[in-house]
Amino acid sequence: MQFQIFKLIIWPKSPEFPPQVIPFELGKVNVITGSSRTGKSAIIPIIDYCLASSDCFIPIDTIRDFVSWYGVVIQTEAEQILIARKVPLGNKVSNEFYLSRGRIVSIPPIIEEPNEKTEGVKHILNAIASVPYFNLSGSEDEKENYQARLSFRDLMALIFQNQDIVANQNILFYKTHAHEHRERLRNWFPFILGIENIEILVARQRLQFVEKRLGQLKKEFEKIRNVSASWMANMLGHIKIAQEYGILNQEISDDTPSDELLLIAKRIFEDIPKHSNTKIENIESANKEIIQLEIEERNISEQIAEAKKRLNDVKRLRTNLIDYGNSQQKRADRLHISMWLENVSSESVACPACGSSEHPKSTSELSKVISAFKKYEDQSRNVAEVPTSFSREEERTKLELQKLLDNKEKIQKRFDLLISRDKKAQEEFQRNQQMFIFLGHLKASIETFEKLVDGGDLQKEITSLEMEYIDLQVKVDKGKMQLRIDKATTTISQKMLNHLKTLDVEEKYRKVAPRFIIKDLNISILSNDGNWHYLAQVGSASNWVSFHIALMCSLQEFFLEMENSCVPSFVIFDQPSQVYFPKLKRINEDTEDEPQYDNEDITAVKSIFSTIANSVVASQGAWQCIILDHADSDIYGTIEGVHEVVEWRNGKKLIPEEWYS
């Protein structure tokens, strides 16, 4: 991804001064050199802050007190983007941004109003980097932040090497001292290196869901199997009970398969009897009478239900007719149109319609209208009178219903009498009740057992998920992914070895390529005894800074070889020479000559600039480096690909003195 720094801008708090603009060359090693306390080390925090950081590490006092806005112009393949952010207020970062996009953006002398917020800027940066819009776990649980979606902000770890990092033996990447940032970067590194694409990530996310869902379904399925095992053992007993009730005539044996037993049990419900079909020769006459009484009681119950419905219909119709008649009567009484017309015609000879007295037949025509309205009003009064037939029908239905209820009561008394004096009848009555209870249990059991024997929805879903799980494993294929990781890290490690050959490291480290380990975000180095050790176990800060520089150059070269990389194509190193220049030696201790550096230190620092420059030049400017250092042009002045941006000495600083003097 082409994403390089074109300009850094700082707007003063006082409007009488123009903004401080620091231009950078694209595709080169840009050097800002200067003395201590001139603002060099504030460059990384300022750029990080403008790129929507959630915190602010810009130094306090001068660099904040006399500044209103910080800004950076980004050069992408298609456009320039100006991102400016208001100075933080105390410990609170600002949510106010100014954003401008175009082929060439202009820098406003004063930013009067913000036009964007933090989330909007992050969204734009995420879109430019084309990072995936989902997390790795498929869960929104805040406790799983280390598997949260990759953002442009996470990629800052790969482009900033501040003073605390560039020569650190324990940490390779910016802000990865925080566990959350470290773990998220580690989890997303395969995607960052192009080992995983969007399709594989989606498959990996889906695989996690399928694994979890399969575990739940299999537990549920196992519970059902355990519950149904006892039902299966008693299936023959259920069928035999049904035979005793006379509701199943089919013969079965102990060898009948379970799926056939299920079909036989389901067949019972195709024609459920209204009472037990026990053989007639096995019961007494009282039992026959009970059955007859049950039939009569059922018939009377049906007649009662029909009579109740008819009675309700008559009552509802009668009520509706009365309501309609009343409404019509009220309407006719309220209007009295015929009476009004008669009064009008008797009191005047003029036409009531137009007021003219020229109509010769107005009186006769008006009489016809009055007659029509009287007929309508008479009909309205008739509607209000309910026919007597409704009352007769209602009374007849009530008598019929009462008669049916009396008959049902008589049958119930005969039934209770038979039950009370005949033990056989009691048994038959209880038998009927038990039969229907049995049928209820049998139906519930069949529904549960059907899921297993008949291949129910649960089994189908498990089978479907198991097939999907196999397909997803082929897509994800952890074995192949590990091979791709090994190939990528081997490539990066070999590139590191090439750079170490021109850097200030012990000779043995120039012979065997170190190992870049994604799992630990660390570098492993081969020792003299043939064992591999982490960078922290290697001595000398000069070794540490060399491994850092070799790794960062190698990563940028690797990203450029990818078809689509999400990582910005620039790296900023702050004080990479810090492990050398504190050791100062004077040419003559007795004179006031300018301090001179040890020749070995000069050579080592030159190797830093030349190694980085060689990588940038070899890429034909596809990536950019910014170095903030005390070393001046005497060190890097003759190196191809190095551009000195500015020298902050003799009163020149990041924040001009006139802003606060």
Side-chain angles (χ1 to χ4, degrees), residues 559-622:
F559 296 145
L560 293 176
E561 294 172 0
M562 293 170 55
E563 184 175 352
N564 292 300
S565 172
C566 61
V567 181
S569 53
F570 73 92
V571 177
I572 303 180
F573 293 101
D574 184 16
Q575 306 289 354
S577 68
Q578 62 183 287
V579 300
Y580 301 102
F581 282 178
K583 299 176 288 183
L584 300 178
K585 292 185 178 180
R586 293 187 180 276
I587 296 175
N588 188 335
E589 295 292 338
D590 298 328
T591 67
E592 295 297 325
D593 295 333
E594 288 293 322
Q596 300 294 317
Y597 301 117
D598 184 78
N599 287 335
E600 291 183 1
D601 291 342
I602 293 175
T603 302
V605 175
K606 279 186 176 180
S607 70
I608 291 175
F609 284 89
S610 61
T611 298
I612 298 173
N614 289 339
S615 176
V616 171
V617 171
S619 72
Q620 298 181 341

Side-chain angles (χ1 to χ4, degrees), residues 145-418:
N145 281 336
Y146 56 90
Q147 289 191 323
R149 62 164 293 193
L150 179 69
S151 75
F152 180 86
R153 290 296 317 160
D154 295 312
L155 304 175
M156 299 300 96
L158 305 174
I159 61 175
F160 293 136
Q161 290 274 299
N162 58 12
Q163 288 190 51
D164 295 334
I165 299 296
V166 70
N168 194 310
Q169 73 272 37
N170 296 305
I171 301 174
L172 291 179
F173 301 108
Y174 183 64
K175 288 187 177 180
T176 54
H177 57 281
H179 178 73
E180 177 186 322
H181 295 299
R182 178 183 179 85
E183 288 303 299
R184 186 158 62 243
L185 182 65
R186 186 175 66 85
N187 290 331
W188 279 101
F189 228 109
F191 174 80
I192 293 172
L193 294 180
I195 295 163
E196 293 181 326
N197 55 26
I198 298 293
E199 183 181 359
I200 293 176
L201 286 175
V202 171
R204 181 145 69 95
Q205 188 183 53
R206 176 64 182 173
L207 185 63
Q208 292 178 344
F209 169 79
V210 170
E211 285 178 336
K212 186 176 180 180
R213 180 64 177 162
L214 268 177
Q216 293 172 344
L217 291 179
K218 286 182 177 179
K219 286 181 180 179
E220 184 179 345
F221 187 71
E222 190 60 34
K223 287 180 181 178
I224 293 176
R225 288 180 63 92
N226 294 336
V227 171
S228 62
S230 60
W231 186 89
M232 183 60 192
N234 295 321
M235 175 64 85
L236 290 173
H238 284 78
I239 300 298
K240 289 178 180 178
I241 291 173
Q243 288 175 334
E244 291 177 7
Y245 284 123
I247 55 179
L248 181 67
N249 297 322
Q250 186 172 347
E251 293 296 328
I252 59 171
S253 65
D254 294 342
D255 298 328
T256 303
S258 59
D259 54 348
E260 187 175 338
L261 287 177
L262 181 62
L263 290 174
I264 293 171
K266 291 171 68 176
R267 201 172 296 133
I268 294 173
F269 294 92
E270 294 176 0
D271 185 21
I272 298 177
K274 294 182 173 56
H275 53 77
S276 173
N277 290 331
T278 307
K279 298 298 182 182
I280 201 68
E281 58 268 17
N282 295 333
I283 60 175
E284 301 293 337
S285 59
N287 299 69
K288 297 178 184 179
E289 188 174 356
I290 285 176
I291 294 174
Q292 186 60 39
L293 288 174
E294 287 179 345
I295 295 173
E296 291 181 19
E297 190 272 339
R298 186 167 58 253
N299 291 335
I300 289 176
S301 296
E302 292 174 355
Q303 293 174 25
I304 289 172
E306 185 179 349
K308 283 183 177 180
K309 182 179 182 304
R310 190 165 62 252
L311 181 61
N312 288 334
D313 290 343
V314 171
K315 287 182 176 180
R316 188 167 57 252
L317 183 57
R318 182 173 180 270
T319 301
N320 292 341
L321 187 59
I322 291 172
D323 292 342
Y324 175 71
N326 289 338
S327 64
Q328 291 295 95
Q329 181 63 41
K330 287 178 181 178
R331 188 177 295 112
D333 292 342
R334 185 168 60 250
L335 295 176
H336 286 299
I337 297 176
S338 62
M339 186 183 297
W340 174 73
L341 289 173
E342 282 182 345
N343 293 335
V344 170
S345 63
S346 63
E347 294 174 1
S348 174
V349 295
C351 175
C354 64
S356 174
S357 59
E358 300 296 328
H359 297 171
K361 296 182 179 181
S362 61
T363 303
S364 60
E365 292 298 326
L366 193 58
S367 297
K368 293 178 182 180
V369 175
I370 292 171
S371 298
F373 274 108
K374 280 185 177 181
K375 183 179 179 181
Y376 170 75
E377 291 168 357
D378 291 340
Q379 288 176 348
S380 298
R381 294 185 182 93
N382 292 335
V383 171
E385 297 176 3
V386 180
T388 57
S389 58
F390 279 91
S391 298
R392 288 199 306 270
E393 180 63 19
E394 184 178 353
E395 190 62 30
R396 188 185 67 79
T397 305
K398 286 182 178 180
L399 292 173
E400 182 183 348
L401 180 59
Q402 186 59 49
K403 183 179 179 181
L404 290 170
L405 291 172
D406 292 341
N407 289 340
K408 184 175 181 181
E409 185 177 359
K410 291 177 182 178
I411 291 173
Q412 186 62 46
K413 288 180 179 179
R414 289 170 58 193
F415 188 86
D416 294 341
L417 184 60
L418 284 171

Side-chain angles (χ1 to χ4, degrees), residues 504-559:
D504 179 33
V505 292
E506 296 177 42
E507 188 62 31
K508 57 185 175 182
Y509 300 142
R510 298 175 178 172
K511 296 179 180 179
V512 179
R515 292 176 178 175
F516 174 50
I517 305 171
I518 292 177
K519 180 181 178 182
D520 301 313
L521 295 182
N522 211 328
I523 296 173
S524 184
I525 296 98
L526 185 66
S527 64
N528 292 333
D529 59 6
N531 293 311
W532 291 89
H533 300 270
Y534 287 135
L535 183 62
Q537 296 171 292
V538 174
S540 179
S542 62
N543 286 326
W544 303 336
V545 73
S546 295
F547 277 106
H548 272 261
I549 290 171
L551 175 61
M552 300 308 290
C553 291
S554 300
L555 285 174
Q556 283 294 325
E557 292 166 2
F558 184 86
F559 296 145

